[in-house]
Amino acid sequence: MLLPTQPAAWQGKENRQSAPPERQDSFRTSNDRATLSDIATLAGLSTSTVSRVVNGSRCTSPTARARVQQAVAELGYMPNVLARQLRSSRTKTLALVLIDIANPFFTGIARGVEDAARAQGYTVMFCNTDESVDEEMGYLRGLIQRRVDGVLLVPAVNSRGSLELLQQHGVPVVVLDRRLGSGQVDQVRADSEGGAYLAVRHLIELGHRRIAILAGPESLSTSVDRVDGYKRALAEASIGARSQQILFGEYTEGSGYEMTSRILAAPSRPTAIFAGNNSIALGALQALRDSGIHYADDMSIVVFDDLPQGGSLPFLTAVSQPAYEIGKLAAYMLIERLATEEPLEPRVIVLPSSLIVRRSSAPPRLTSSAGPRSAKAIAGPARTHRDPNGLHPSPGLLANLRPCPTGSTLTKASPVAGTGSLKLP
Amino acid sequence: MLLPTQPAAWQGKENRQSAPPERQDSFRTSNDRATLSDIATLAGLSTSTVSRVVNGSRCTSPTARARVQQAVAELGYMPNVLARQLRSSRTKTLALVLIDIANPFFTGIARGVEDAARAQGYTVMFCNTDESVDEEMGYLRGLIQRRVDGVLLVPAVNSRGSLELLQQHGVPVVVLDRRLGSGQVDQVRADSEGGAYLAVRHLIELGHRRIAILAGPESLSTSVDRVDGYKRALAEASIGARSQQILFGEYTEGSGYEMTSRILAAPSRPTAIFAGNNSIALGALQALRDSGIHYADDMSIVVFDDLPQGGSLPFLTAVSQPAYEIGKLAAYMLIERLATEEPLEPRVIVLPSSLIVRRSSAPPRLTSSAGPRSAKAIAGPARTHRDPNGLHPSPGLLANLRPCPTGSTLTKASPVAGTGSLKLP
DNA sequence: CTGTTAGCGCATTCAA
DNA sequence: TTGAATGCGCTAACAG
């Protein structure tokens, strides 16, 4: 996950066996590692030449190449990346600083970042902040000291000085997932507003009128945007503002549990819950269980963020974000910026989210409102995708745990903004 | 998760605001980062002195210290870790190379490693091999080139040259979780044999006679050891070898699914399954579902490796390994070895596993064998822990998803071997 | 195509 | 207590 194989040209399988194992070269004590000049003397060449063939620079004769390779193999030479980096003042290293890599959404981002980076010969370091600004700052400082070439940042909740610190030290940044700062930074994220709109409209189309949204921290752009989408969907359906039920909390299981409990205790209980992210959903599900409330039947639930469909929760209707693409795109943007000389305008890319309908959302059981809307409305411009596994009838215990194929076709939730001319592989 | 805050002495909050923001020092172009000599000239001192105060070496006058700190703050100086490492030929960096950090067991190890390392001022790099020896080798090479001080290795399935490569380059190693090599390495792992024995004995005590074990690769020590524990428990209960049902596969969900399907299709179906690890268990559960077989009622299932009890699978009876401790101990061993000069004997530490009984294991429904053994046997020397949440009656759908407290008390499954005199905090 | 010469930024001798 | 000098291992001008 962290260090890609060094793509150096000389890196054929080291045929160490070609050298007599007991050989103890006079200029190499047992544990001292061979250096460039070691192999230079062994090969009877200068360090520059050796350096050239090791780095695959052209301008080397076949004979020189052969002798160097021979010496490299013989001594088991491994270039000292530190020295190389110090000299060239480029580390070919990126950092991804994020909230919680255990969260599937961020894991997806991380994969995208690593794949893109590795494809360009970059190594990436992953740093978990656990939503702590102090951790974030600490990591950032460490990364600057390590002279990473650039940083991909998913800022923690009240992150403030981070961008300034980075820019102060001339470290290029791309901000992921969450809006940050005055806009003078490259950014990549999914469309929170549009995704939330889709989700809530879906619930409305099922006949729900009292829908609660369990959002994250009010100070986070994703929370605000998702609430905006929620509001838009309600407004569009002429559902009065007094029917709104908006709770701000944290993006944690505990907070989801707590918010759900509050909702269930309140007088006018909603018929559907829109969870602001996957952790909140997990907590919400637990709260429902503990109250003996069945999802779908008694309470519809839709999640922002899809969950891994492997073994446990394959029944949740969810807004899916293109996590992998976010990471990949962000890495490419960053690397591109590293390649050029400063003249790029800050770019903001918003990728479409989409809705995957499964079994956790159903028409409300006993509602005073009208039933589901016309089929036309459902089949209309709603950019949703109905998961075949969501359609299995009579969801018994076992059926509930049935796996669901991952290859869900995603549909656009909103237009892409400002994609610019990023060159992808 | 990756880069701990640098614990450098000089690292007070940078009071950059104390310097006039528009100040453009003549010796610093905008983006060039300040160096030691920059702050030396600014402070009117030599680089040596500056280096000393920055590194907290004693032998510095208060006045010098003050002036340096002032200059550091003014210039926003960040030491160049690369140069520092190159010079001192110590990176203060460890690497944890493992199979799959998404697996909760390894995540636990990773946390232990990081905490221990950070406590000692070390940074740790995480590398995922996905059970690929090529990836493993690639990472190892990269790490050697980066001159990490030491490596913590969870070797991939048929890992072979890794140890040699590392030792060839004089990089200290500790092998985690899986036995490897001729034994001339430090190793830390949990007691697989003992844990498996406990699990299977538990099933036998419940009355099971036909128990299948779904093991990992036959070439892996953990698989072999767990099968050994399985055999011992059966033998102890005088259950004939012909009743054994041993399947070797992979530590993956897919393999678990496949092995379970095979078992279900076979003539004499077992009444209980012992899954060799958590991934296999996940696959087994899916296979059971797809065959309409209820766990516990129709088929008991016990897992090696506990799963995160957060939201999804709080009902599995499991063998719990002290993952965090494994990581922590391993890191301490490694760091200790780095501190001393080579004279340490290789040490092997085997930590006890324990059994946590929950609801997925129950007496067989219709068995020709005798019922459960006497209460005495159950309450006897079995070092198991009964999870209170495992006792809830009538596991309906919702109850099945009920959360379970994480604070399970672990009980020893086997004695600790060769702990030696490791100094822990 | 190759060798010589200079540092990258820092820690660390050795003198003062 | 401080400063001057040296080199960690490597790349990048330059000349040849």
Side-chain angles (χ1 to χ4, degrees):
Chain A
M1 202 160 188
L2 179 52
L3 269 177
T5 314
Q6 291 296 110
W10 53 273
Q11 213 187 41
K13 304 291 177 189
E14 310 175 11
N15 327 352
R16 296 210 108 258
Q17 62 278 18
S18 66
E22 60 282 358
R23 163 159 194 175
Q24 276 295 88
D25 303 288
S26 57
F27 48 86
R28 273 203 66 206
T29 55
S30 63
N31 200 356
D32 272 347
R33 307 200 237 252
T35 76
L36 212 47
S37 65
D38 285 340
I39 81 151
T41 47
L42 211 187
L45 294 166
S46 75
T47 59
S48 352
T49 310
V50 175
S51 173
R52 288 189 190 103
V53 354
V54 161
N55 290 309
S57 317
R58 309 291 154 238
C59 309
T60 52
S61 68
T63 55
R65 246 171 295 165
R67 306 183 60 171
V68 167
Q69 285 173 350
Q70 156 77 14
V72 161
E74 199 156 327
L75 266 51
Y77 169 73
M78 292 286 219
N80 186 326
V81 173
L82 274 52
R84 183 180 284 183
Q85 291 174 341
L86 176 61
R87 181 56 232 242
S88 56
S89 66
R90 277 169 61 262
T91 55
K92 278 285 199 175
T93 300
L94 266 29
L96 173 57
V97 179
L98 40 60
I99 302 318
D100 172 24
I101 205 173
N103 183 315
F105 171 61
F106 294 115
T107 306
I109 288 185
R111 292 199 188 287
V113 166
E114 174 164 35
D115 287 355
R118 182 184 290 218
Q120 304 290 320
Y122 279 81
T123 292
V124 15
M125 311 184 75
F126 300 93
C127 308
N128 248 246
T129 62
D130 289 319
E131 285 283 21
S132 151
V133 290
D134 288 347
E135 286 282 316
E136 183 176 302
M137 270 304 204
Y139 276 124
L140 256 26
R141 259 191 274 273
L143 293 168
I144 293 172
Q145 294 179 183
R146 259 154 225 260
R147 301 295 190 262
V148 295
D149 291 339
V151 170
L152 298 148
L153 175 66
V154 180
V157 168
N158 287 313
S159 167
R160 252 317 172 182
S162 302
L163 234 49
E164 289 73 4
L165 179 65
L166 254 8
Q167 293 175 158
Q168 215 164 68
H169 290 271
V171 180
V173 206
V174 175
V175 172
L176 274 60
D177 184 48
R178 303 169 173 185
R179 269 186 281 123
L180 187 70
S182 48
Q184 286 311 297
V185 216
D186 286 335
Q187 310 197 30
V188 183
R189 58 176 172 266
D191 182 11
S192 278
E193 199 273 346
Y197 167 80
L198 272 190
V200 176
R201 198 180 69 170
H202 164 68
L203 289 170
I204 293 172
E205 285 170 349
L206 285 172
H208 294 275
R209 289 301 172 269
R210 291 195 311 283
I211 302 169
I213 178 171
L214 312 184
E218 196 162 1
S219 58
L220 229 47
S221 71
T222 52
S223 308
V224 176
D225 292 352
R226 287 164 203 181
V227 167
D228 283 349
Y230 165 89
K231 286 179 179 169
R232 176 157 67 95
L234 291 190
E236 192 178 282
S238 305
I239 297 178
R242 74 215 160 286
S243 298
Q244 289 182 4
Q245 214 166 337
I246 302 173
L247 286 82
F248 287 100
E250 288 170 34
Y251 281 144
T252 64
E253 223 169 302
S255 181
Y257 189 97
E258 188 270 329
M259 288 191 283
T260 306
S261 306
R262 253 196 294 152
I263 274 187
L264 296 179
S268 84
R269 175 184 293 187
T271 61
I273 288 176
F274 176 39
N277 90 331
N278 46 17
S279 302
I280 289 178
L282 252 26
L285 281 178
Q286 287 194 23
L288 291 183
R289 268 177 249 136
D290 290 358
S291 301
I293 297 176
H294 290 244
Y295 70 84
D297 297 340
D298 300 333
M299 175 79 76
S300 282
I301 179 164
V302 178
V303 205
F304 203 107
D305 284 350
D306 205 6
L307 287 146
Q309 296 300 313
S312 41
L313 297 168
F315 52 85
L316 284 173
T317 293
V319 177
S320 172
Q321 304 183 78
Y324 184 86
E325 283 69 28
I326 292 176
K328 185 171 160 185
L329 226 63
Y332 272 106
M333 278 180 66
L334 187 52
I335 292 173
E336 185 184 22
R337 181 161 299 258
L338 295 178
T340 69
E341 296 293 330
E342 304 290 333
L344 277 61
E345 276 288 292
R347 290 164 296 179
V348 175
I349 297 185
V350 178
L351 295 173
S353 311
S354 61
L355 183 69
I356 301 176
V357 177
R358 298 202 188 88
R359 278 179 286 100
S360 69
S361 56
R365 198 204 292 269
L366 30 93
T367 172
S368 55
S369 321
R373 293 201 167 181
S374 68
K376 174 176 168 296
I378 292 181
R383 290 144 297 187
T384 65
H385 171 261
R386 189 162 290 272
D387 189 314
N389 265 279
L391 298 177
H392 283 293
S394 71
L397 166 62
L398 293 177
N400 269 342
L401 294 173
R402 188 180 299 268
C404 142
T406 58
S408 312
T409 312
L410 301 185
T411 322
K412 293 193 177 183
S414 78
V416 178
T419 308
S421 61
L422 257 190
K423 54 164 187 286
L424 293 180
Chain B
M1 202 157 187
L2 178 53
L3 269 178
T5 314
Q6 291 297 109
W10 53 271
Q11 211 186 40
K13 304 291 178 192
E14 311 175 9
N15 327 352
R16 296 209 107 259
Q17 62 279 19
S18 66
E22 61 283 359
R23 164 160 193 174
Q24 275 295 88
D25 304 289
S26 57
F27 48 85
R28 274 204 65 206
T29 54
S30 63
N31 200 356
D32 272 349
R33 308 199 237 253
T35 77
L36 256 194
S37 65
D38 284 339
I39 81 153
T41 47
L42 211 187
L45 294 166
S46 75
T47 60
S48 348
T49 310
V50 174
S51 173
R52 288 188 189 104
V53 354
V54 161
N55 290 309
S57 316
R58 310 290 152 238
C59 311
T60 51
S61 68
T63 52
R65 244 170 299 165
R67 304 185 59 173
V68 168
Q69 284 173 350
Q70 157 77 14
V72 161
E74 199 156 328
L75 265 53
Y77 169 72
M78 293 286 221
N80 186 326
V81 172
L82 273 55
R84 185 179 280 183
Q85 291 174 343
L86 176 61
R87 178 59 233 246
S88 56
S89 65
R90 278 170 59 262
T91 53
K92 278 286 199 174
T93 301
L94 268 28
L96 173 57
V97 179
L98 41 60
I99 302 318
D100 172 24
I101 206 172
N103 183 315
F105 171 62
F106 293 114
T107 306
I109 288 185
R111 291 199 189 289
V113 167
E114 175 164 35
D115 286 355
R118 182 186 292 219
Q120 304 289 320
Y122 279 81
T123 292
V124 15
M125 310 183 76
F126 300 93
C127 308
N128 250 247
T129 63
D130 289 319
E131 285 282 21
S132 152
V133 290
D134 288 346
E135 286 281 317
E136 182 176 305
M137 271 304 204
Y139 277 125
L140 256 27
R141 259 191 272 274
L143 293 168
I144 293 172
Q145 294 180 185
R146 259 154 226 261
R147 300 297 191 261
V148 295
D149 291 339
V151 169
L152 298 147
L153 175 66
V154 180
V157 168
N158 286 314
S159 167
R160 254 312 171 188
S162 302
L163 235 48
E164 290 72 5
L165 180 65
L166 254 9
Q167 293 175 158
Q168 216 166 70
H169 290 273
V171 180
V173 205
V174 176
V175 173
L176 274 60
D177 184 47
R178 302 169 173 184
R179 269 187 281 123
L180 187 69
S182 48
Q184 286 310 297
V185 216
D186 287 336
Q187 309 197 30
V188 183
R189 58 175 172 267
D191 182 11
S192 277
E193 199 276 344
Y197 167 79
L198 273 190
V200 176
R201 197 179 70 171
H202 164 68
L203 289 171
I204 293 172
E205 285 171 350
L206 285 173
H208 293 276
R209 288 301 172 271
R210 291 196 311 284
I211 303 169
I213 178 170
L214 313 184
E218 195 160 3
S219 59
L220 229 46
S221 71
T222 52
S223 307
V224 176
D225 293 352
R226 286 164 203 181
V227 166
D228 283 348
Y230 164 88
K231 287 180 179 169
R232 175 157 68 96
L234 291 190
E236 192 178 284
S238 307
I239 297 178
R242 73 215 162 286
S243 297
Q244 289 181 6
Q245 214 166 337
I246 302 173
L247 285 81
F248 287 100
E250 288 170 34
Y251 281 143
T252 63
E253 225 169 301
S255 181
Y257 188 97
E258 188 271 329
M259 289 191 282
T260 306
S261 306
R262 253 196 294 152
I263 274 187
L264 297 179
S268 84
R269 175 185 292 186
T271 61
I273 287 176
F274 176 39
N277 91 331
N278 47 18
S279 302
I280 289 178
L282 253 26
L285 283 178
Q286 286 194 23
L288 291 183
R289 269 176 248 137
D290 289 358
S291 301
I293 298 177
H294 289 244
Y295 70 84
D297 297 339
D298 301 332
M299 176 79 77
S300 282
I301 180 163
V302 178
V303 206
F304 204 107
D305 285 352
D306 206 7
L307 287 146
Q309 295 302 312
S312 42
L313 299 168
F315 53 84
L316 285 174
T317 294
V319 177
S320 172
Q321 304 183 78
Y324 183 88
E325 283 70 28
I326 291 176
K328 185 170 160 186
L329 227 64
Y332 272 108
M333 279 180 65
L334 186 53
I335 292 173
E336 185 184 22
R337 181 161 297 259
L338 295 178
T340 70
E341 295 293 330
E342 304 289 335
L344 277 61
E345 277 288 291
R347 290 165 299 178
V348 175
I349 297 185
V350 179
L351 295 173
S353 311
S354 60
L355 183 68
I356 301 177
V357 177
R358 299 202 188 88
R359 279 178 287 101
S360 69
S361 55
R365 198 203 294 267
L366 30 92
T367 172
S368 53
S369 324
R373 294 203 168 180
S374 67
K376 175 178 167 293
I378 293 182
R383 289 144 299 188
T384 65
H385 170 261
R386 189 161 289 273
D387 189 313
N389 266 279
L391 297 177
H392 283 294
S394 72
L397 166 60
L398 292 178
N400 269 343
L401 295 173
R402 190 180 299 268
C404 141
T406 58
S408 313
T409 311
L410 301 186
T411 323
K412 293 192 176 184
S414 78
V416 178
T419 308
S421 61
L422 256 191
K423 55 164 190 288
L424 293 180

